[in-house]
């Protein structure tokens, strides 16, 4: 069952997240994004069905990939398992299966 991260669990996880880049557009709140990711895991729904008040689905999806590429998931795996009973491999597999659909815009061939 989904429940937002407790302060105690968040404090353990926060340490392992990449630092926020001070340049450019402000980054979405990592805790809200992780709550969105966990919501998706527990509710087994499409990304676009993620309630906006939790987090933007596109931001959550990008963060899943960013954290995968930066090995964040492997660093927080033991915390997710001990505090939430979630296996990281199962989480990533489930989220990858429900990845957002690509744009429905048709590609028009270019005439030469």
């Amino acid at each position: 069952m989904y429940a937002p991260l407790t302060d105690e669990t968040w404090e353990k996880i926060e340490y392992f997240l990449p630092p926020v880049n001070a340049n450019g557009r402000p980054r979405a709140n990592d805790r809200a994004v992780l709550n969105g990711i966990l919501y998706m895991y527990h509710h087994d729904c499409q990304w676009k069905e993620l309630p906006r008040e939790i987090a933007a689905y596109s931001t959550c999806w990008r963060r899943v990939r960013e954290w995968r590429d930066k090995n964040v998931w492997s660093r927080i795996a033991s915390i997710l398992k001990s505090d939430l009973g979630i296996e990281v491999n199962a989480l990533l597999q489930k989220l990858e299966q429900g990845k957002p659909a690509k744009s429905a815009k048709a590609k028009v061939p270019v005439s030469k």
Side-chain angles (χ1 to χ4, degrees), residues 9-18 30 34 76 79:
T9 300
W10 174 246
E11 287 173 9
K12 294 176 193 176
I13 290 172
E14 185 177 30
Y15 173 80
F16 295 102
L17 301 180
D30 285 325
L34 183 54
I76 65 172
I79 300 165

Side-chain angles (χ1 to χ4, degrees), residues 19-84:
V20 175
N21 184 354
N23 300 325
R25 186 173 158 184
R27 180 180 176 91
N29 179 283
D30 285 325
R31 185 174 183 171
V33 170
L34 183 54
N35 277 324
I37 292 167
L38 296 174
Y39 179 96
M40 293 298 303
Y41 174 75
H42 286 290
H43 284 83
D44 199 24
C45 59
Q46 296 295 314
W47 281 98
K48 287 187 176 188
E49 296 171 351
L50 175 66
R52 183 69 171 104
E53 58 272 8
I54 295 176
Y57 78 89
S58 56
T59 302
C60 292
W61 172 244
R62 282 192 307 270
R63 205 68 57 84
V64 166
R65 293 181 319 195
E66 175 191 335
W67 289 349
R68 179 196 60 211
D69 295 344
K70 293 181 178 181
N71 295 316
V72 170
W73 293 112
S74 61
R75 293 191 301 252
I76 65 172
S78 64
I79 300 165
L80 292 175
K81 177 67 176 162
S82 65
D83 288 23
L84 306 175

